[in-house]
Amino acid sequence: IVSRDWSSDVCSSDLVLVEAWFVGDRDRRVPVTGPGTPDVPSALAQVFTLALRPWLGKCADALQERRELDAWRHAYCPLCGSEPGLAVVAPDGRTFLMCARCTLRWPHDSDACPFCENANASLMSSFGAPDGAYRVNVCDACRRYLKGMDVRRAGRPPMPLVDAAEIGRAHV
């Protein structure tokens, strides 16, 4: 078996881009030339997410049953640090946030905004599909929203990429 040191092939600016993507630093920009060239950082972020999702998903599966997750009450994933992409109401009625990057789920107080922790009901809105399976929860305090799914009404487990698209098409 031939072994090769790949570190000489990796440019330090490449490592900076990967690190910036992982920690969520959206302010980094890569010089782009030519008219009509796509936004390189967002394109790279998509590539990184798709490339690492299977590995991060396996890590999430391994950590999912850990009791320590029950105590996690932050607006970011305890595994990869990404924001939630979906709120899921489980069959037992508890609400979980699902990471947009690795699909790890952690408990959430469904009455509060996961981003700013606003719990003032007058500043929260919720728009649901007629069947009640999908909804969009909106916070007027931080002006953000989170798509949601009720597993009890959908009749199946969440599929993050499918459900995010489905909620975008739902008549809410």
Side-chain angles (χ1 to χ4, degrees):
I1 298 176
V2 176
S3 166
R4 179 168 181 201
D5 178 14
W6 294 95
S7 61
S8 63
D9 294 341
V10 177
C11 180
S12 64
S13 63
D14 294 339
L15 295 176
V16 168
L17 281 175
V18 173
E19 180 182 7
W21 164 80
F22 194 78
V23 298
D25 183 357
R26 306 265 185 226
D27 293 331
R28 303 221 187 231
R29 295 289 179 248
V30 175
V32 179
T33 57
T37 305
D39 181 27
V40 175
S42 65
L44 281 177
Q46 184 68 18
V47 168
F48 294 153
T49 299
L50 292 173
L52 287 177
R53 182 167 281 142
W55 180 77
L56 287 170
K58 290 290 186 189
C59 293
D61 290 345
L63 292 176
Q64 194 61 65
E65 301 305 318
R66 305 273 314 227
R67 292 185 191 264
E68 292 88 356
L69 288 177
D70 290 340
W72 190 261
R73 294 290 186 256
H74 301 286
Y76 55 91
C77 177
L79 173 62
C80 72
S82 186
E83 291 186 333
L86 191 65
V88 178
V89 178
D92 64 4
R94 295 185 304 155
T95 301
F96 293 87
L97 298 178
M98 181 176 277
C99 178
R101 187 183 290 165
C102 72
T103 70
L104 186 75
R105 295 174 308 279
W106 66 96
H108 173 66
D109 174 13
S110 61
D111 295 331
C113 172
F115 304 111
C116 72
E117 300 178 3
N118 165 50
N120 182 345
S122 67
L123 294 175
M124 300 290 291
S125 302
S126 184
F127 306 96
D131 65 2
Y134 299 105
R135 65 185 326 95
V136 177
N137 301 309
V138 181
C139 177
D140 290 329
C142 67
R143 307 189 71 64
R144 296 190 66 186
Y145 69 92
L146 183 64
K147 297 175 181 182
M149 173 191 179
D150 190 331
V151 172
R152 301 168 299 184
R153 296 181 186 233
R156 62 171 177 75
M159 297 182 292
L161 297 177
V162 173
D163 292 324
E166 183 65 30
I167 294 168
R169 290 191 305 267
H171 299 284
V172 293

